């Protein structure tokens, strides 16, 4: 019996790679994908589903909306979904938020493929699953140990996110940023939310301060 897996990620090459790989795994099959949070919410709504996925692999760093909010909406619409957060963002607070919103697991994108298989099978069987790297990071955070050197403290930003970040640092409001970059106010706010999530801060002030500390923008 196949475990039906649905992937939510804005990197088509990653989706294609996983689809090709799992063609050779007897008990796991990729049955569909979405390239954005909005698309996933539409496709995975119970009224639209032809086949219910057994496990959903969801990137947390989506470009069109906050990944944690996306998971919350997906589970509100379809509580039976079993979501695994699958991301390069391993900050303890982000992992915990994703789990609190109802995700059944969290795995780093830097993990080995066999660990991903293990996570899919575990969550499908009704268990919760944290990748080994995630467990280590959470254990260190609980013990008050600072992140290891290989822990990515500088978020991976898109070119557009970096542009929005610089405009925020210039103290422009949402409308001014939208006008400067020729994007809508809603798109500006989506980028702002994603930046706040990626930098693990509470607001725009904390965002600018953290970006300065990391040398991404000047003082």
């Amino acid at each position: 019996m196949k475990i039906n897996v649905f992937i939510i990620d804005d990197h088509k090459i990653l989706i294609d790679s996983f689809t090709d790989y799992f063609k050779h795994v007897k008990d796991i099959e990729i049955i569909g994908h979405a390239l954005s949070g909005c698309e996933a919410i539409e496709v995975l709504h119970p009224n639209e589903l032809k086949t219910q996925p057994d496990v959903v692999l969801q990137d947390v760093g989506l470009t069109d909306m906050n990944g944690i909010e996306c998971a919350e909406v997906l589970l509100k619409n379809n509580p039976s979904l079993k979501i695994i957060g699958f991301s390069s963002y391993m900050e303890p607070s982000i992992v915990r938020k994703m789990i609190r919103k109802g995700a059944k697991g969290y795995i780093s994108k830097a993990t080995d493929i066999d660990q991903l298989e293990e996570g899919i099978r575990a969550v499908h069987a009704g268990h919760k699953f944290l990748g080994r790297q995630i467990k280590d990071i959470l254990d260190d955070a609980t013990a008050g140990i600072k992140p290891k050197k290989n822990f990515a403290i500088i978020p991976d930003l898109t070119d557009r996110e970096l542009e929005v970040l610089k405009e925020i640092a210039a103290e422009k409001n949402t409308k001014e940023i939208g006008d400067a970059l020729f994007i809508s106010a809603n798109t500006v706010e989506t980028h702002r939310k994603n930046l706040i999530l990626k930098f693990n801060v509470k607001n725009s002030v904390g965002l600018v301060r953290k970006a300065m500390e990391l040398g991404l923008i000047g003082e």
Side-chain angles (χ1 to χ4, degrees):
M1 181 178 175
K2 291 275 190 179
I3 301 173
N4 294 324
V5 176
F6 189 96
I7 302 177
I8 305 170
D9 198 290
D10 47 21
H11 294 89
K12 186 64 164 56
I13 190 169
L14 181 144
I15 293 171
D16 290 342
S17 296
F18 280 168
T19 301
D20 289 341
Y21 175 84
F22 283 112
K23 285 178 181 177
H24 306 288
V25 178
K26 291 182 178 180
D27 61 336
I28 298 174
E29 181 178 359
I30 308 300
I31 62 167
H33 69 268
L35 296 172
S36 69
C38 291
E39 181 185 358
I41 290 169
E42 181 179 350
V43 173
L44 291 176
H45 194 283
N47 295 338
E48 301 296 328
L49 278 176
K50 294 181 180 179
T51 302
Q52 172 83 8
D54 298 308
V55 176
V56 176
L57 284 180
Q58 188 215 304
D59 188 6
V60 178
L62 299 170
T63 55
D64 68 326
M65 67 186 303
N66 182 307
I68 294 173
E69 291 178 355
C70 177
E72 186 176 17
V73 174
L74 288 172
L75 289 167
K76 181 179 179 181
N77 292 342
N78 192 349
S80 63
L81 290 177
K82 294 179 178 180
I83 297 176
I84 297 176
F86 184 60
S87 181
S88 57
Y89 306 115
M90 299 184 287
E91 290 86 347
S93 64
I94 293 178
V95 177
R96 292 185 181 120
K97 285 177 184 177
M98 194 71 175
I99 299 299
R100 282 200 301 269
K101 293 301 181 182
K104 302 299 183 184
Y106 201 106
I107 302 174
S108 165
K109 279 189 175 181
T111 192
D112 295 330
I113 194 71
D114 61 336
Q115 192 177 162
L116 181 59
E117 289 185 39
E118 181 185 354
I120 290 171
R121 294 188 182 102
V123 168
H124 176 246
H127 308 295
K128 290 190 175 181
F129 184 88
L130 294 176
R132 287 187 289 273
Q133 289 173 301
I134 303 300
K135 282 184 180 178
D136 289 344
I137 289 167
L138 291 180
D139 288 345
D140 285 351
T142 300
I145 301 172
K146 291 183 178 181
K148 298 180 178 65
K149 289 182 179 179
N150 63 352
F151 180 71
I153 61 170
I154 300 179
D156 182 18
L157 304 181
T158 66
D159 290 341
R160 180 62 84 188
E161 284 173 340
L162 186 56
E163 288 175 341
V164 171
L165 175 60
K166 290 178 178 178
E167 297 293 338
I168 292 173
E171 300 184 8
K172 293 183 180 180
N173 61 35
T174 298
K175 184 179 184 306
E176 289 171 336
I177 295 172
D179 291 343
L181 300 179
F182 303 101
I183 56 178
S184 70
N186 286 339
T187 300
V188 173
E189 286 307 302
T190 294
H191 286 307
R192 189 193 303 271
K193 288 181 180 179
N194 280 336
L195 286 165
I196 287 172
L197 172 66
K198 289 182 177 183
F199 280 88
N200 189 26
V201 293
K202 294 181 179 179
N203 50 43
S204 295
V205 174
L207 174 62
V208 172
R209 183 184 298 117
K210 189 73 170 286
M212 287 181 175
E213 290 174 359
L214 296 174
L216 292 175
I217 55 176
E219 297 189 24

